[in-house]
Amino acid sequence: MAYKVLIADDQKMVRQMFELAVTESENYETAALAATPDEAVEKALSQPIDLVLMDVVMGSGSDGIDAARRIKAQRPDIKILLVTSMPEVSYIDRAKEIGIESFWHKEVQEQPLIEIMDRTMAGESIYPAGMPVVRFGNIVSTELTDTEIRVLRELVTGASNKEIGERLYMATGTVKRHISDMLDKTGFKSRLQLAIRARGGGLIINNRDIDNEE
């Protein structure tokens, strides 16, 4: 008997692409489609679903990881495969924390989607070796330090150096130095440009951004 799959993505073309992949495999059938996280939760909890194939970010920053958490809280038997095209570095850690079985990048396809689905349904937990490397001004994303990423994550919320320091238990002068170092590395002209490019390129999506946009 074929596994019943819920496909959740805000882009119709992507939903159709995933549906085609599901249709071409005799092991799966599309049971439902969803365009928002709330719709995904509602459909996952109201009908027989074996596997949820869900985008992490669906329109205006809405959070597929939170939707996955809500599904798992009531239906831990449903397996979830999260997909994304964003290089945001916190996604994998957040997904693992709430027990999401597997994670797949749309653009960096280390393994075919159906293979990941098969292994997930067989009881494996499949995660990529790392997030995609993206160009960020004059550097690539991997050239930022962990501390710089933490500062950048707060910077994209519009926080001041003082506010960032309070959130990260860091002196205001230290925050200012890290921001200055990132400006030197990237070649961006201002903290605003630094934040906009980080947010717009998907390098950083702070949870506070998602909360504010939903």
Side-chain angles (χ1 to χ4, degrees):
M1 187 171 63
Y3 293 116
K4 297 183 183 301
V5 180
L6 165 61
I7 298 171
D9 196 292
D10 64 318
Q11 297 184 37
K12 182 178 180 180
M13 183 179 298
V14 176
R15 291 198 302 273
Q16 291 174 336
M17 179 187 74
F18 288 153
E19 189 172 13
L20 178 60
V22 168
T23 302
E24 290 179 343
S25 172
E26 61 183 16
N27 295 327
Y28 304 95
E29 64 179 52
T30 301
L33 301 172
T36 68
D38 287 342
E39 186 180 5
V41 173
E42 187 276 326
K43 290 187 175 181
L45 300 181
S46 65
Q47 56 188 285
I49 297 292
D50 299 303
L51 174 66
V52 175
L53 183 60
M54 181 157 53
D55 196 4
V56 173
V57 178
M58 287 185 278
S60 300
S62 55
D63 193 354
I65 297 181
D66 182 62
R69 179 189 57 76
R70 291 156 61 194
I71 292 170
K72 279 293 188 183
Q74 296 190 53
R75 289 287 309 278
D77 58 299
I78 293 179
K79 295 185 183 297
I80 299 177
L81 170 53
L82 289 175
V83 298
T84 188
S85 59
M86 296 289 191
E88 166 41 87
V89 295
S90 69
Y91 286 163
I92 288 180
D93 289 340
R94 290 180 60 206
K96 287 180 177 179
E97 284 175 3
I98 60 176
I100 303 306
E101 281 78 12
S102 297
F103 200 103
W104 187 77
H105 289 133
K106 295 176 186 177
E107 276 75 25
V108 185
Q109 300 174 13
E110 295 176 355
Q111 299 177 64
L113 177 60
I114 290 297
E115 181 180 333
I116 298 295
M117 292 167 63
D118 287 343
R119 293 176 63 185
T120 299
M121 295 311 298
E124 292 188 59
S125 181
I126 312 300
Y127 277 77
M131 298 301 282
V133 176
V134 296
R135 173 62 57 179
F136 188 49
N138 295 333
I139 63 173
V140 294
S141 52
T142 52
E143 294 180 63
L144 294 172
T145 68
D146 290 344
T147 301
E148 288 171 343
I149 289 290
R150 290 169 57 213
V151 171
L152 193 55
R153 181 166 288 113
E154 301 303 331
L155 184 64
V156 300
T157 69
S160 67
N161 289 352
K162 183 175 183 295
E163 290 170 330
I164 294 173
E166 290 173 350
R167 293 174 186 175
L168 300 181
Y169 304 99
M170 187 181 295
T172 302
T174 303
V175 174
K176 183 176 180 180
R177 177 173 56 79
H178 284 304
I179 293 174
S180 178
D181 287 345
M182 285 189 282
L183 290 173
D184 288 342
K185 285 182 179 181
T186 61
F188 295 138
K189 302 303 182 184
S190 67
R191 59 188 289 131
L192 178 61
Q193 186 181 22
L194 189 69
I196 290 173
R197 293 296 182 88
R199 185 67 169 86
L203 176 62
I204 297 293
I205 299 179
N206 192 297
N207 293 349
R208 295 187 183 89
D209 298 336
I210 293 170
D211 293 340
N212 291 336
E213 289 172 359
E214 286 184 325

